[in-house]
């Protein structure tokens, strides 16, 4: 076996290696989403993404990448790299290749001025991140879901069970409009001017928050082969107080509304509850069976529980490492409410 070479990809190389990417993913070449690779790593509006590969001669045997994201931490703007899409060929596992790829990206992130690198590993990779790569466990993540169609819950009891479950669910959902309180909801994007004002209010009240400029949000919701809706809530004066981007299911997925990103004005009472009540109402209107989201913090969890969400703690936490002598402790105030780790 030749000495493995780890290096960055050029954008025009991605499609030359579609067969190898597909093999690493365990899919047929025609099923591999090269458009997503190009969009996520090379068309991110920060223009700071990186995709790296490990080569055995001309053969691609592993890859990992990151996309840059800017955060406001205690009023200071910092840049971080978010790891994603780490794959290695089965013949090269257990030989340190994964570690080489991650170390390459951490060094590259530091060279580009990113203060920290974050990732959301699986259970197998977690031991490597924490034990050999020097990452720290930052905070846990909860997966939360709420049934919208209650029939499947009673399906085990046959048609009578389905009927009873649907009747009980319909009665339960009648209170959802009451959860909106003084807010009203609407579907569609906010204007750039309104969005930037809303974002400024959110950042001013947050110790650690991901920045979402208007151009960045519009880019995120342009992911190839995906369809999104935007849910907005306004107060009685018409001021934007909450926003959620929710992905509609593709044919191979369960019929659920995946709320992949959401923001509320922290100074707006009950806005978070109203926002997710609106998401549940919209999912029911679209005949979907479930609302699903990924979030962190006791405040978010308790609010979702009042709306009938059931939460399950992820088996692995978000992990992070500083690329210099930066202090990572301020990031513990980050209320993770964004599924950028797996791009929902």
């Amino acid at each position: 076996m030749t000495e493995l070479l780890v290096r960055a990809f050029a954008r025009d190389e991605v499609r030359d290696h579609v067969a190898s990417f597909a093999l690493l993913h365990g899919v047929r070449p025609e099923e591999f989403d090269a458009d997503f690779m190009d969009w996520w790593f090379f068309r991110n509006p920060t223009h700071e993404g990186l995709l790296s590969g490990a080569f055995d001669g001309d053969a691609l045997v592993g890859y990992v990448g990151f996309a840059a994201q800017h955060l406001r931490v205690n009023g200071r703007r910092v840049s971080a790299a978010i790891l994603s899409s780490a794959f290695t060929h089965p013949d090269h596992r257990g030989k340190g290749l994964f570690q080489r790829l991650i170390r390459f990206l951490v060094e590259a992130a530091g060279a580009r001025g990113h203060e920290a690198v974050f990732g959301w590993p699986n259970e197998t990779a977690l031991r490597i991140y924490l034990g050999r790569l020097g990452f720290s466990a930052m905070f846990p993540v909860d997966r939360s879901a709420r049934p919208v169609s209650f029939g499947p819950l009673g399906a085990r009891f046959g048609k009578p069970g389905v009927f009873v479950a649907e009747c009980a669910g319909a009665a339960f959902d009648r209170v959802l409009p009451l959860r909106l309180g003084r807010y009203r909801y609407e579907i569609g994007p906010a204007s750039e001017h309104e969005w930037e004002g809303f974002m400024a209010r959110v950042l001013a009240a947050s110790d650690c928050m991901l920045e979402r400029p208007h151009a960045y949000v519009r880019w995120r919701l342009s992911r190839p082969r995906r369809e999104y809706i935007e849910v907005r809530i306004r107060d009685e004066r018409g001021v934007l107080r909450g926003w959620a981007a929710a992905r509609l299911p593709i044919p191979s997925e369960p019929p659920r509304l995946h709320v992949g990103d959401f923001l509320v004005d922290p100074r707006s009472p009950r806005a978070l509850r109203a926002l997710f009540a609106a998401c549940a109402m919209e999912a029911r209107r679209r005949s979907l069976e479930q609302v699903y989201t990924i979030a962190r913090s006791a405040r978010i969890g308790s609010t979702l529980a009042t709306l009938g969400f059931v939460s399950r703690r992820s088996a692995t936490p978000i992990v992070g490492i500083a690329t210099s002598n930066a202090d990572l402790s301020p990031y513990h105030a980050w209320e993770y409410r964004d599924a950028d780790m797996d791009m929902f």
Side-chain angles (χ1 to χ4, degrees):
M1 183 179 68
T2 59
E3 178 67 22
L4 298 183
L5 172 65
V6 177
R7 64 171 177 81
F9 267 92
R11 181 178 182 181
D12 57 6
E13 285 186 278
V14 172
R15 296 188 187 277
D16 294 336
H17 293 277
V18 164
S20 296
F21 281 121
L23 179 63
L24 293 173
H25 281 250
V27 299
R28 297 191 301 270
E30 60 270 22
E31 296 174 327
F32 179 71
D33 193 352
D35 290 335
F36 166 74
M37 297 280 287
D38 179 70
W39 173 81
W40 175 230
F41 293 111
F42 298 101
R43 286 163 45 198
N44 188 310
T46 64
H47 303 296
E48 297 172 6
L50 178 67
L51 178 63
S52 65
F55 294 85
D56 184 1
D58 293 330
L60 176 67
V61 296
Y63 81 96
V64 67
F66 69 67
Q69 295 188 335
H70 298 130
L71 297 98
R72 195 73 60 86
V73 182
N74 294 328
R76 182 172 65 94
R77 190 173 192 254
V78 300
S79 181
I82 308 296
L83 294 172
S84 66
S85 302
F87 289 86
T88 55
H89 192 282
D91 293 344
H92 292 268
R93 292 172 187 163
K95 300 177 182 179
L97 176 57
F98 178 77
Q99 297 174 59
R100 283 190 61 189
L101 284 166
I102 299 299
R103 287 194 177 103
F104 179 86
L105 254 67
V106 171
E107 291 176 5
R112 294 185 177 203
H114 303 308
E115 184 176 280
V117 177
F118 295 101
W120 189 6
N122 58 36
E123 292 183 63
T124 301
L126 179 63
R127 297 192 297 271
I128 300 175
Y129 276 104
L130 300 182
R132 301 177 189 174
L133 292 171
F135 281 70
S136 300
M138 298 300 297
F139 48 79
V141 177
D142 293 337
R143 303 174 186 269
S144 301
R146 181 196 190 279
V148 176
S149 174
F150 291 81
L153 298 179
R156 70 180 64 181
F157 302 105
K159 290 184 178 180
V162 171
F163 176 76
V164 171
E166 287 287 12
C167 289
F172 184 62
D173 278 353
R174 285 178 182 171
V175 303
L176 281 177
L178 300 179
R179 297 295 190 182
L180 286 174
R182 62 191 181 95
Y183 300 99
R184 59 181 173 84
Y185 91 89
E186 53 196 25
I187 302 298
S191 69
E192 182 175 2
H193 176 74
E194 181 178 52
W195 177 260
E196 296 301 344
F198 171 61
M199 190 75 235
R201 294 196 302 275
V202 172
L203 289 173
S206 306
D207 294 329
C208 182
M209 178 63 70
L210 183 71
E211 287 188 350
R212 297 169 176 85
H214 189 264
Y216 175 75
V217 172
R218 305 273 40 97
W219 167 77
R220 277 196 59 185
L221 302 184
S222 71
R223 175 178 173 174
R225 301 182 180 88
R226 297 293 187 270
E227 182 182 356
Y228 300 88
I229 61 170
E230 293 177 72
V231 181
R232 292 172 289 141
I233 59 168
R234 299 184 182 277
D235 63 18
E236 65 272 16
R237 294 180 297 142
V239 178
L240 180 64
R241 297 297 182 182
W243 167 88
R247 180 167 66 81
L248 297 174
I250 59 178
S252 60
E253 292 180 334
R256 67 186 185 189
L257 188 67
H258 189 152
V259 182
D261 198 353
F262 55 96
L263 283 172
V264 295
D265 186 335
R267 293 167 294 190
S268 300
R270 300 181 179 85
L272 182 63
R273 186 178 69 180
L275 180 64
F276 273 89
C279 290
M281 292 166 64
E282 189 62 22
R284 190 168 185 84
R285 189 182 74 82
R286 294 170 181 264
S287 300
L288 300 175
E289 293 182 359
Q290 190 183 82
V291 180
Y292 173 85
T293 193
I294 300 172
R296 177 214 178 217
S297 88
R299 181 178 68 86
I300 294 174
S302 61
T303 296
L304 294 180
T306 64
L307 296 171
F309 280 79
V310 177
S311 296
R312 177 172 58 87
R313 178 60 47 85
S314 172
T316 60
I318 303 296
V319 299
I321 189 171
T323 59
S324 58
N325 294 321
D327 179 13
L328 292 185
S329 61
Y331 290 97
H332 287 282
W334 182 5
E335 285 194 355
Y336 184 71
R337 58 186 77 179
D338 183 315
D340 254 340
M341 298 295 181
D342 59 358
M343 289 310 299
F344 52 105

